[in-house]
Amino acid sequence: MTETWEVIYSTPLPHRAELAKAILLEHDISAVVINKQSSSYPTIGSGKSEVHVLAQDAILAKVILENEATFS
C-alpha cells in the first residue's frame, strides 16, 4: 500500500522549509523537504523548497504552521 503525501508549505528559502519541518516533527508529524531548486543555478529562477506530509496529517500540519511558525 502506498502512502499519499501532500505539499503543505512552499518557499523559495530552503531554511524556512527546514524550520517548518522541525516544527512539525516536534508535534510528531512526519515531514520531508523536497528541494526543487536547480543545483546548477540556485539563485536564478523560481525554484522552491516544499514541505510534504502524509495526506491524513495535512490539515493538522497546516493549522500548526499557521499558529506556530513566524518567518520574518
Side-chain angles (χ1 to χ4, degrees), residues 5-10 34 36 49-53 58 62:
W5 291 78
E6 187 174 318
V7 178
I8 56 134
Y9 182 70
S10 180
I34 306 295
K36 293 192 171 185
S49 290
E50 298 175 343
V51 179
H52 294 240
V53 299
K62 289 177 185 178

Side-chain angles (χ1 to χ4, degrees), residues 42-56:
T43 59
I44 299 174
S46 60
K48 301 275 185 192
S49 290
E50 298 175 343
V51 179
H52 294 240
V53 299
L54 291 173
Q56 70 228 24

Side-chain angles (χ1 to χ4, degrees), residues 10-39:
S10 180
T11 178
L13 303 171
H15 67 278
R16 286 189 178 179
E18 292 295 338
L19 288 171
K21 175 185 169 184
I23 291 169
L24 294 172
L25 291 175
E26 288 178 357
H27 290 275
D28 296 323
I29 295 177
S30 297
V32 294
V33 174
I34 306 295
N35 186 345
K36 293 192 171 185
Q37 293 180 331
S38 169
S39 60

